[in-house]
Amino acid sequence: MIKFALALTLCLAGASLSLAQHNPQWWGNRNTIVHLFEWKWSDIAEECETFLAPRGFAGVQVSPVNENIISSGRPWWERYQPISYKLTTRSGNEEEFADMVRRCNDVGIRIYVDVLLNHMSGDFDGVAVGTAGTEAEPSKKSFPGVPYTAQDFHPSCEITDWNDRFQVQECELVGLKDLNQHSDYVRSKLIEFLDHLIELGVAGFRVDAAKHMASEDLEYIYGSLSNLNIDHGFPHNARPFIFQEVIDHGHETVSREEYNELGAVTEFRFSEEIGKAFRGNNALKWLQSWGTDWGFLKSEQALTFVDNHDNQRDKGAVLNYKSPRQYKMATAFHLAYPYGISRVMSSFAFDDHDTPPPQDAQENIISPEFDEDGACVNGWICEHRWRQIYAMVGFKNAVRDTELHGWWDNGDNQISFCRGNKGFLAVNNNLYDLSQELNTCLPAGEYCDVISGSLIDGACTGKSVTVNEHGYGYIHIGSDDFDGVLALHVNAKV
Ligand code: QV4
């Protein structure tokens, strides 16, 4: 009996340990992550205090923090070519990073770091000097700043067949020197790097190129990490949140199922399908069964996004800031529908794949500047500061833990649904008006549409909807309205 009880306890402890790395460690009722792509640490610290906390964001994914090669013209992707684990990049140094994490945690905003465990830099002519001044000879696999030598890497080979497991996991992704995570020494260096970040107060990691590493090696590394730092407000025994970049369109040899028990996985099918639907290539009525019925991962295992820093640059179905009306509709649906761990993208303007982030003549990244509405003006796009987007972050907080019900559609591209009796969303992606009485499921009263305006001093600056005692209200979204969405929730009741 005692033996059985012990076995059961151990088994439960094991289960909760592995499951725990799916917990984003959010504070309060918050539940949306924003990727502040290429932002500087000092700017993020200020953004946490002045914008993200007041607007109810839960966390920030930051760009890679460790030293990288310096590539001519400073393309954003140089940061995916590490040289050492010193915390100095164009976003700032270790002191600035630590200050940002402290200040963001102080206002309940969690920091997740994009970490490169798969590889170091690719070839470079001669000796490379990194962003912290460290020298390396990538072509010889010599990285004295760690130090790593050739024996810490897999033998060089090219990935030519993406369905060959050996090639995907042991050859070089676009020529990036491929670390051998099976070696005790490499593991110890990676764990030391991640533990250092945990010590500084981060809540977790985006694991870059996870698919290119064997899941058993990752399991060992994740399982060896320290608990989160209680001095930063995390509970005792809290495990770092892990979300892994695994691109799996289905039918792939290395699949997302090899990773989803270890931590969350980026659900690329979500991004592709939502883009297709809101670009008008799939009727919105089909979204009624959105989620696992579409072949997506279980909700608590899926890191979801409309676009990410890679696929927003591909010319395909995926939406980005360049199609703002569709993008805002897709984002509203993303944040209103109860599926996944949501991440919002915050970009800088780009013309081509390699465009660097906004920088000055000396190639220092510049800080975002804002107009009187709080929108970014100097090359930063800041989708997270668009009213229609941050208002939906507030919506998602207001309806947290409620069920979706009351689905309605017109058999085409007009849809609406309720979240408990706390929130209501309607979308019109048809070329004609949506004008009719719909069930909002809300308590009777007057509500501000948080898309066309907001509740300010007891009045709506945009549309308002009067809900009767049966929960019905007259909903109008004209086909030529500025936005194709209308959103009501209990925290914007007049
Ligand atoms: C070039 C050639 C290669 C050649 C190589 C070696 O194209 O064929 O083998 O030289 O001489 C940059 C350049 C790329 C160059 C490479 C090495 O764009 O042309 O290769 O550097 O010098 C980002 C960018 C890449 C960039 C890389 C490193 O997207 O363009 O490459 O950083 O700076 C798959 C993976 C997935 C990956 C995705 C892009 O499964 O894991 O491709 N996504 C992640 C990140 C992504 C990042 C990396 C992985 C690599 O999200 O941003 O790539 O860390 O789907």
Side-chain angles (χ1 to χ4, degrees):
M1 188 62 196
I2 294 176
K3 247 187 179 167
F4 173 74
L6 187 68
L8 186 72
T9 320
L10 284 177
C11 168
L12 287 176
S16 66
L17 252 190
S18 60
L19 274 179
Q21 308 213 214
H22 293 87
N23 181 344
Q25 309 292 348
W26 286 325
W27 186 85
N29 73 333
R30 299 178 184 176
N31 56 170
T32 304
I33 297 171
V34 56
H35 180 192
L36 294 180
F37 181 45
E38 285 280 8
W39 279 47
K40 288 188 290 181
W41 310 147
S42 53
D43 295 331
I44 295 178
E46 207 169 314
E47 193 71 353
C48 283
E49 294 168 343
T50 59
F51 189 85
L52 300 176
R55 294 294 179 192
F57 284 82
V60 182
Q61 177 188 320
V62 302
S63 283
V65 294
N66 57 307
E67 178 172 20
N68 58 265
I69 55 152
I70 295 174
S71 192
S72 129
R74 314 306 302 262
W76 60 271
W77 46 254
E78 68 171 36
R79 294 184 70 169
Y80 291 84
Q81 304 206 30
I83 270 197
S84 82
Y85 298 118
K86 289 181 196 134
L87 305 190
T88 300
T89 62
R90 284 213 291 169
S91 285
N93 60 25
E94 175 159 351
E95 204 185 330
E96 289 159 324
F97 179 77
D99 179 62
M100 166 191 77
V101 179
R102 168 68 64 195
R103 286 165 62 190
C104 290
N105 275 326
D106 280 351
V107 292
I109 304 285
R110 302 311 190 197
I111 299 293
Y112 310 99
V113 176
D114 194 351
V115 292
L116 314 163
L117 312 181
N118 176 60
H119 55 260
M120 298 298 279
S121 157
D123 278 347
F124 199 90
D125 283 338
V127 178
V129 180
T131 48
T134 307
E135 293 188 352
E137 278 190 88
S139 51
K140 295 187 178 153
K141 302 184 181 177
S142 167
F143 296 91
V146 180
Y148 284 140
T149 57
Q151 65 182 19
D152 300 314
F153 295 83
H154 289 130
S156 294
C157 49
E158 214 183 308
I159 306 180
T160 50
D161 177 0
W162 283 74
N163 274 314
D164 180 326
R165 175 179 301 274
F166 174 82
Q167 288 192 18
V168 170
Q169 300 194 321
E170 300 201 16
C171 291
E172 295 172 348
L173 169 63
V174 292
L176 302 165
K177 304 303 172 195
D178 201 65
L179 284 166
N180 174 12
Q181 295 80 12
H182 208 59
S183 112
D184 287 338
Y185 177 73
V186 171
R187 287 177 172 186
S188 74
K189 284 294 157 189
L190 297 177
I191 293 164
E192 189 186 318
F193 164 55
L194 299 175
D195 273 351
H196 181 45
L197 297 174
I198 291 172
E199 174 67 28
L200 294 175
V202 309
F205 307 104
R206 168 198 184 261
V207 178
D208 183 72
K211 178 183 193 171
H212 300 275
M213 294 175 273
S215 57
E216 307 82 65
D217 293 333
L218 290 178
E219 184 172 13
Y220 179 88
I221 292 168
Y222 303 159
S224 308
L225 298 179
S226 308
N227 290 330
L228 297 182
N229 189 342
I230 52 171
D231 296 339
H232 281 261
F234 295 104
H236 283 274
N237 303 320
R239 300 295 295 148
F241 175 47
I242 301 283
F243 59 106
Q244 307 162 97
E245 190 222 8
V246 177
I247 304 180
D248 179 350
H249 308 282
H251 319 291
E252 311 212 7
T253 304
V254 182
S255 73
R256 58 184 190 181
E257 277 75 20
E258 297 173 30
Y259 301 87
N260 60 359
E261 298 299 328
L262 306 179
V265 169
T266 50
E267 184 48 279
F268 277 82
R269 298 181 205 180
F270 180 111
S271 170
E272 286 147 15
E273 293 293 351
I274 207 168
K276 206 163 136 192
F278 285 89
R279 280 190 189 277
N281 298 326
N282 194 6
L284 298 189
K285 67 169 178 175
W286 301 117
L287 299 180
Q288 181 169 8
S289 60
W290 190 243
T292 50
D293 286 358
W294 286 58
F296 302 160
L297 289 163
K298 281 192 230 154
S299 183
E300 64 279 10
Q301 296 178 340
L303 195 287
T304 58
F305 48 94
V306 173
D307 60 333
N308 82 344
H309 72 278
D310 289 322
N311 71 13
Q312 69 172 189
R313 289 172 165 69
D314 300 340
K315 297 181 180 69
V318 170
L319 280 164
N320 64 19
Y321 73 88
K322 298 185 186 197
S323 311
R325 197 165 188 280
Q326 266 64 37
Y327 191 78
K328 286 179 281 182
M329 278 192 252
T331 301
F333 179 80
H334 174 206
L335 297 179
Y337 196 97
Y339 174 80
I341 300 166
S342 306
R343 179 181 64 194
V344 166
M345 180 70 205
S346 187
S347 319
F348 58 81
F350 60 86
D351 298 321
D352 61 47
H353 181 264
D354 297 348
T355 306
Q359 57 187 14
D360 64 18
Q362 288 72 46
E363 298 186 328
N364 297 308
I365 297 180
I366 58 171
S367 299
E369 286 167 18
F370 313 107
D371 68 13
E372 65 279 11
D373 294 326
C376 292
V377 288
N378 54 342
W380 298 97
I381 301 294
C382 303
E383 294 89 324
H384 72 289
R385 279 177 166 261
W386 295 1
R387 187 190 60 243
Q388 300 87 340
I389 292 182
Y390 68 71
M392 289 308 299
V393 171
F395 179 104
K396 193 171 165 79
N397 292 344
V399 304
R400 185 162 171 178
D401 297 328
T402 63
E403 298 285 319
L404 183 150
H405 65 120
W407 180 276
W408 167 88
D409 63 63
N410 70 340
D412 198 15
N413 280 308
Q414 299 181 347
I415 58 170
S416 77
F417 58 87
C418 307
R419 289 292 305 274
N421 57 359
K422 294 200 165 157
F424 168 81
L425 188 87
V427 182
N428 179 12
N429 200 22
N430 272 132
L431 296 175
Y432 50 90
D433 295 354
L434 188 176
S435 273
Q436 71 182 82
E437 291 279 330
L438 287 174
N439 188 2
T440 69
C441 316
L442 294 167
E446 195 188 341
Y447 295 83
C448 300
D449 165 29
V450 297
I451 299 294
S452 56
S454 25
L455 172 64
I456 292 180
D457 298 331
C460 303
T461 59
K463 294 179 191 174
S464 66
V465 174
T466 305
V467 173
N468 67 24
E469 70 271 30
H470 305 296
Y472 278 74
Y474 185 74
I475 307 299
H476 178 85
I477 309 175
S479 60
D480 54 1
D481 280 4
F482 189 67
D483 285 303
V485 193
L486 179 145
L488 313 176
H489 63 76
V490 287
N491 296 344
K493 185 169 190 262
V494 180

